[in-house]
Amino acid sequence: MEIQQCESRARSANLIPRMSRIVHDPFPMGLLDELLSSLTGGEFLPEAVREEIAQALACVDEGELVIAEARLLGLSDDHPDLPAVFLALGEVRSRRGHDEAAVEAYGRAVNLAKHAVDGWLGLGEALARLGREEPARDALRRVLSGTAQVDL
């Protein structure tokens, strides 16, 4: 599947609605590029990993959340140091209603990339759904204040 199609599908599924607010680059970038750039601090992400994340997001658009999660879990085993993988995994787990697992994935993403605003937002939202109000408020406050550490 073409990357542009995957980006379009992810955008239409509103999977990553906050991306346009966190990367302010003078040159237009695709949604997936923004996500990956924000999570890697602008570092290069291997094309194979980028493609696999895009395919997993396309599965989400098709309603295949279990398949998307399985793909991302395999990718996380192969690339345990890439926060983009764990952010995508957190999004999929949130959509499946698996908030404890989403907290785990988002937590891993923000531990790997303290600047990953979407990771902190996702973490705060998942914690709030679990009724863990104080850590949720901390995560969301820190996003607003620009600091990026929260005690789970």
Side-chain angles (χ1 to χ4, degrees):
M1 181 174 292
E2 295 281 323
I3 292 296
Q4 291 79 11
Q5 290 174 323
C6 294
E7 290 173 359
S8 175
R9 294 175 101 158
R11 189 178 301 108
S12 69
N14 203 23
L15 181 64
I16 313 165
R18 299 173 291 263
M19 283 291 95
S20 62
R21 294 187 300 203
I22 66 169
V23 176
H24 304 287
D25 193 287
F27 302 101
M29 293 173 55
L31 183 63
L32 184 60
D33 289 330
E34 291 180 33
L35 166 70
L36 301 179
S37 178
S38 74
L39 289 175
T40 61
E43 294 176 25
F44 177 75
L45 191 67
E47 184 63 31
V49 174
R50 186 179 185 280
E51 177 66 26
E52 187 65 26
I53 291 172
Q55 288 177 5
L57 297 180
C59 289
V60 170
D61 188 39
E62 295 169 5
E64 299 290 346
L65 299 176
V66 174
I67 294 171
E69 184 173 6
R71 290 188 111 159
L72 292 166
L73 281 171
L75 200 56
S76 71
D77 289 341
D78 295 340
H79 301 280
D81 58 337
L82 296 178
V85 174
F86 293 97
L87 177 63
L89 184 58
E91 291 286 341
V92 170
R93 287 174 167 177
S94 284
R95 285 180 173 248
R96 292 192 69 203
H98 299 167
D99 289 319
E100 283 290 345
V103 165
E104 179 185 326
Y106 285 129
R108 185 76 181 269
V110 298
N111 282 332
L112 292 168
K114 301 284 188 216
H115 60 280
V117 174
D118 272 11
W120 289 104
L121 288 171
L123 178 61
E125 291 168 356
L127 287 166
R129 284 190 301 272
L130 291 169
R132 294 166 63 186
E133 294 176 14
E134 193 58 37
R137 275 194 294 270
D138 287 346
L140 297 174
R141 267 192 222 117
R142 291 172 195 254
V143 167
L144 295 173
S145 70
T147 60
Q149 291 212 323
V150 83
D151 296 323
L152 300 176

